[in-house]
Amino acid sequence: MRMRKKHDLPHKTCLHCGLPFTWRKKWEKVWDEVKYCSDRCRSEHKRQRPADGGSAGP
């Protein structure tokens, strides 16, 4: 693969924090599956999701 400048790399927006992030070499094979910019955003997003079957009221 030919070297690219950082501004030429693909970008995505993090589903948790909403900030843009760029492609990384470690995501080369799974780029289509990457949704979060970091492990912290991924774990925070999972913690904030409400559990299914919770008490919805009386």
Side-chain angles (χ1 to χ4, degrees), residues 2-54:
R2 206 169 143 225
M3 289 188 58
R4 299 170 123 182
K5 299 211 185 255
K6 187 164 183 159
H7 67 273
D8 291 337
L9 295 174
H11 290 74
K12 286 189 179 184
T13 303
C14 179
L15 291 180
H16 179 69
C17 66
L19 295 175
F21 62 97
T22 57
W23 180 91
R24 294 183 187 176
K25 178 70 175 170
K26 68 180 185 178
W27 294 331
E28 182 175 23
K29 295 177 182 173
V30 293
W31 178 243
D32 294 334
E33 300 167 18
V34 175
K35 298 177 184 176
Y36 306 102
C37 63
S38 64
D39 289 336
R40 181 178 180 180
C41 278
R42 187 181 66 230
S43 64
E44 288 287 324
H45 187 77
K46 285 182 180 179
R47 260 200 299 162
Q48 289 182 355
R49 283 179 45 196
D52 291 334

